[in-house]
Coordinates of all heavy atoms in Angstrom, one line a residue:
R48 N 127.2 298.0 121.7 CA 126.9 296.9 122.7 C 127.9 295.9 122.7 O 128.1 295.2 123.8 CB 125.5 296.4 122.3 CG 124.9 295.5 123.5 CD 123.5 295.2 123.2 NE 122.9 294.4 124.3 CZ 122.5 293.1 124.2 NH1 122.7 292.4 123.1 NH2 121.9 292.5 125.2
F51 N 130.3 295.7 125.6 CA 129.7 295.4 126.9 C 129.4 293.9 127.1 O 129.1 293.5 128.1 CB 128.4 296.2 127.1 CG 128.6 297.7 127.2 CD1 128.7 298.4 126.0 CD2 128.8 298.3 128.4 CE1 128.9 299.8 126.1 CE2 129.0 299.7 128.5 CZ 129.1 300.4 127.3
I68 N 126.6 287.8 131.6 CA 127.8 288.5 131.8 C 128.5 287.9 133.0 O 128.0 286.9 133.5 CB 127.7 290.1 132.0 CG1 126.7 290.4 133.2 CG2 127.2 290.7 130.7 CD1 126.6 291.8 133.5
A69 N 129.6 288.4 133.5 CA 130.3 287.8 134.7 C 129.4 287.8 135.9 O 128.3 288.5 135.9 CB 131.6 288.6 134.9
C70 N 129.8 287.1 136.9 CA 129.1 287.1 138.2 C 127.7 286.6 138.2 O 126.8 286.9 139.0 CB 129.1 288.4 138.9 SG 130.8 289.2 139.0
Q72 N 125.3 287.4 136.2 CA 124.3 288.5 135.9 C 124.1 288.5 134.4 O 124.6 287.7 133.7 CB 124.8 289.8 136.5 CG 125.2 289.7 137.9 CD 124.0 289.3 138.8 OE1 122.9 289.8 138.7 NE2 124.3 288.3 139.6
T73 N 123.3 289.5 134.0 CA 123.0 289.6 132.5 C 123.0 291.0 132.1 O 122.8 291.9 132.8 CB 121.5 289.1 132.2 OG1 120.6 289.7 133.1 CG2 121.4 287.6 132.4
I74 N 123.4 291.2 130.8 CA 123.2 292.5 130.1 C 121.8 292.5 129.6 O 121.4 291.5 128.9 CB 124.3 292.7 129.0 CG1 124.0 294.0 128.3 CG2 124.4 291.5 128.1 CD1 125.2 294.4 127.4
S75 N 121.1 293.5 129.8 CA 119.7 293.6 129.5 C 119.4 293.5 128.0 O 120.3 293.9 127.2 CB 119.0 294.8 130.0 OG 119.2 294.9 131.4
Q76 N 118.2 293.1 127.6 CA 117.8 293.0 126.2 C 117.7 294.5 125.7 O 117.1 295.3 126.4 CB 116.4 292.3 126.2 CG 115.8 292.2 124.9 CD 114.4 291.7 125.0 OE1 113.9 291.3 126.0 NE2 113.7 291.7 123.9
V80 N 116.0 297.9 127.4 CA 116.8 299.1 127.7 C 116.1 300.3 127.0 O 115.9 301.3 127.6 CB 118.2 298.9 127.1 CG1 119.0 300.3 127.2 CG2 119.0 297.9 127.9
E97 N 120.7 305.0 138.9 CA 120.5 303.7 138.4 C 121.0 302.7 139.4 O 122.0 302.8 140.0 CB 121.4 303.5 137.1 CG 121.2 302.1 136.5 CD 122.2 301.7 135.4 OE1 123.4 302.1 135.6 OE2 121.9 301.1 134.4
I98 N 120.1 301.7 139.6 CA 120.5 300.6 140.6 C 120.8 299.4 139.7 O 119.9 298.9 138.9 CB 119.3 300.3 141.5 CG1 118.8 301.5 142.2 CG2 119.8 299.2 142.5 CD1 119.8 302.3 143.1
G99 N 122.0 298.9 139.8 CA 122.4 297.7 139.0 C 123.2 298.1 137.8 O 122.6 298.0 136.7
A100 N 124.4 298.5 137.9 CA 125.2 298.9 136.7 C 125.5 297.8 135.8 O 125.5 297.9 134.6 CB 126.5 299.6 137.2
G101 N 125.7 296.6 136.4 CA 126.0 295.4 135.6 C 127.1 295.6 134.6 O 128.2 296.1 135.0
S102 N 126.9 295.5 133.3 CA 127.9 295.7 132.3 C 128.2 297.2 132.0 O 129.2 297.5 131.5 CB 127.4 295.1 131.0 OG 126.3 295.8 130.5
G103 N 127.2 298.0 132.4 CA 127.3 299.4 132.2 C 126.6 299.9 130.9 O 126.7 301.1 130.5
Y104 N 126.0 298.9 130.2 CA 125.4 299.3 128.9 C 124.2 300.3 129.1 O 124.2 301.3 128.4 CB 124.9 298.0 128.2 CG 124.2 298.2 126.9 CD1 124.8 298.8 125.8 CD2 122.8 297.8 126.7 CE1 124.2 299.0 124.6 CE2 122.2 298.1 125.5 CZ 122.9 298.6 124.5 OH 122.2 298.9 123.3
Q105 N 123.3 299.9 130.0 CA 122.2 300.8 130.2 C 122.7 302.2 130.8 O 122.2 303.2 130.4 CB 121.2 300.2 131.2 CG 120.1 301.1 131.8 CD 118.9 301.3 130.9 OE1 118.1 300.4 130.7 NE2 118.9 302.5 130.3
T106 N 123.7 302.1 131.6 CA 124.3 303.3 132.1 C 124.8 304.2 131.0 O 124.6 305.5 131.0 CB 125.6 303.0 133.0 OG1 125.3 301.8 133.8 CG2 126.0 304.1 133.9
I119 N 124.8 302.4 141.0 CA 125.3 301.5 142.1 C 125.3 300.1 141.7 O 124.4 299.6 141.0 CB 124.3 301.7 143.3 CG1 124.1 303.2 143.7 CG2 124.8 300.9 144.6 CD1 123.2 303.4 144.9
E120 N 126.3 299.3 142.1 CA 126.4 297.9 141.7 C 127.0 297.2 143.0 O 127.9 297.7 143.7 CB 127.4 297.8 140.5 CG 127.7 296.3 140.1 CD 126.5 295.4 139.9 OE1 125.7 295.8 139.1 OE2 126.5 294.4 140.6
R121 N 126.5 296.0 143.2 CA 126.9 295.2 144.4 C 128.0 294.2 144.1 O 128.5 293.6 145.0 CB 125.7 294.5 145.0 CG 125.1 293.4 144.2 CD 123.8 292.9 144.8 NE 124.0 292.1 146.0 CZ 124.4 290.8 146.0 NH1 124.6 290.1 144.9 NH2 124.5 290.2 147.2
Y122 N 128.4 294.1 142.8 CA 129.6 293.3 142.5 C 130.7 294.3 142.1 O 130.6 295.0 141.1 CB 129.4 292.4 141.3 CG 128.7 291.1 141.6 CD1 127.3 291.0 141.5 CD2 129.4 290.0 142.1 CE1 126.7 289.8 141.8 CE2 128.8 288.8 142.5 CZ 127.4 288.7 142.3 OH 126.8 287.6 142.7
L125 N 132.1 293.7 138.5 CA 131.3 294.2 137.4 C 131.5 295.7 137.3 O 131.6 296.3 136.2 CB 129.8 293.9 137.6 CG 129.4 292.4 137.5 CD1 128.0 292.2 137.7 CD2 129.8 291.9 136.1
K144 N 129.2 303.8 142.4 CA 129.3 303.4 143.8 C 129.2 301.9 143.9 O 128.3 301.3 143.4 CB 128.2 304.1 144.6 CG 128.2 303.8 146.1 CD 127.1 304.6 146.7 CE 126.8 304.2 148.1 NZ 126.0 305.2 148.8
G146 N 128.0 299.3 146.3 CA 127.2 299.3 147.4 C 125.9 298.6 147.2 O 125.6 297.9 146.2
D147 N 125.0 298.7 148.2 CA 123.7 298.1 148.1 C 122.6 299.1 147.6 O 122.2 300.0 148.3 CB 123.3 297.6 149.5 CG 121.9 296.9 149.5 OD1 121.3 296.8 148.5 OD2 121.5 296.4 150.6
G148 N 122.1 298.9 146.4 CA 121.2 299.8 145.8 C 119.8 299.8 146.5 O 119.1 300.8 146.2
F149 N 119.5 298.8 147.3 CA 118.3 298.9 148.0 C 118.1 300.2 148.8 O 117.0 300.7 149.1 CB 118.2 297.7 149.0 CG 117.4 296.5 148.6 CD1 118.0 295.4 148.2 CD2 116.0 296.6 148.6 CE1 117.2 294.3 147.7 CE2 115.2 295.6 148.2 CZ 115.8 294.4 147.7
L150 N 119.3 300.7 149.2 CA 119.3 301.8 150.1 C 119.4 303.1 149.3 O 119.3 304.2 149.9 CB 120.6 301.8 151.0 CG 120.7 300.5 151.8 CD1 122.1 300.4 152.5 CD2 119.6 300.3 152.8
T164 N 117.5 298.2 137.5 CA 117.7 297.2 136.5 C 117.8 295.8 137.0 O 118.3 294.9 136.4 CB 118.9 297.5 135.5 OG1 120.1 297.3 136.2 CG2 118.8 299.0 135.1
A165 N 117.3 295.6 138.2 CA 117.1 294.2 138.8 C 115.8 294.2 139.5 O 115.3 295.3 139.8 CB 118.3 293.9 139.8
A166 N 115.2 293.0 139.6 CA 113.8 292.9 140.1 C 113.7 293.2 141.6 O 114.2 292.5 142.4 CB 113.2 291.6 139.7
F217 N 113.9 289.8 135.0 CA 115.2 290.4 135.4 C 115.8 289.5 136.5 O 115.1 288.8 137.2 CB 114.9 291.8 136.0 CG 115.0 292.9 135.0 CD1 113.8 293.2 134.3 CD2 116.1 293.6 134.8 CE1 113.8 294.2 133.3 CE2 116.2 294.6 133.8 CZ 115.0 294.9 133.1
V218 N 117.1 289.6 136.7 CA 117.7 288.9 137.8 C 117.3 289.7 139.1 O 116.9 290.9 139.0 CB 119.3 289.0 137.7 CG1 119.8 288.1 136.6 CG2 119.8 290.4 137.6
P219 N 117.2 289.0 140.3 CA 116.7 289.7 141.4 C 117.6 290.8 142.0 O 118.8 290.7 141.9 CB 116.5 288.6 142.4 CG 117.4 287.5 142.0 CD 117.6 287.7 140.5
L220 N 117.0 291.8 142.6 CA 117.7 292.8 143.4 C 118.0 292.1 144.7 O 117.1 291.6 145.4 CB 116.8 294.0 143.6 CG 117.3 295.3 144.1 CD1 118.3 295.9 143.1 CD2 116.2 296.3 144.4
L221 N 119.3 292.0 145.1 CA 119.7 291.3 146.3 C 120.2 292.3 147.3 O 120.9 293.2 147.0 CB 120.8 290.2 145.9 CG 120.3 289.1 145.0 CD1 121.5 288.3 144.6 CD2 119.2 288.3 145.5
E222 N 120.0 291.9 148.6 CA 120.4 292.8 149.6 C 121.9 292.7 149.9 O 122.5 291.6 149.8 CB 119.6 292.6 150.9 CG 118.4 293.4 150.9 CD 117.5 293.2 152.1 OE1 118.0 293.4 153.3 OE2 116.4 292.7 152.0
G223 N 122.5 293.8 150.3 CA 124.0 293.8 150.7 C 124.9 293.7 149.5 O 124.4 293.5 148.4
V224 N 126.2 293.9 149.7 CA 127.1 293.8 148.6 C 127.5 292.3 148.4 O 127.5 291.5 149.4 CB 128.4 294.7 148.8 CG1 128.0 296.1 148.8 CG2 129.1 294.3 150.1
A225 N 128.0 292.0 147.2 CA 128.4 290.6 147.0 C 129.8 290.3 147.5 O 130.6 291.2 147.4 CB 128.3 290.3 145.5
Ligands
LIG306 N1 121.6 297.3 133.2 C1 122.5 296.2 133.4 C2 121.7 295.0 134.0 C3 122.6 294.2 134.8 S1 121.7 292.9 135.6 C4 123.1 295.8 132.0 O1 122.4 295.9 131.0 O2 124.2 295.3 132.0 C5 121.3 293.6 137.2 C6 122.5 294.1 138.0 O3 121.9 294.5 139.3 C7 123.5 293.0 138.3 O4 124.7 293.4 137.9 C8 123.4 292.9 139.8 O5 124.6 292.5 140.5 C9 122.9 294.2 140.3 N2 122.2 294.2 141.6 C10 121.3 293.4 142.1 N3 121.0 293.7 143.4 C11 121.6 294.9 143.6 C12 121.7 295.8 144.7 N4 121.0 295.6 145.8 N5 122.5 296.9 144.6 C13 123.2 297.2 143.5 N6 123.2 296.3 142.4 C14 122.4 295.2 142.5

Side-chain angles (χ1 to χ4, degrees):
R48 192 168 184 252
F51 297 83
I68 57 171
C70 307
Q72 305 305 309
T73 51
I74 174 170
S75 302
Q76 180 190 350
V80 170
E97 179 191 41
I98 308 301
S102 68
Y104 178 63
Q105 170 79 75
T106 321
I119 307 179
E120 173 54 56
R121 68 188 288 279
Y122 279 97
L125 290 181
K144 178 176 167 170
D147 182 358
F149 258 107
L150 309 172
T164 74
F217 272 86
V218 295
L220 195 65
L221 299 173
E222 272 179 59
V224 293

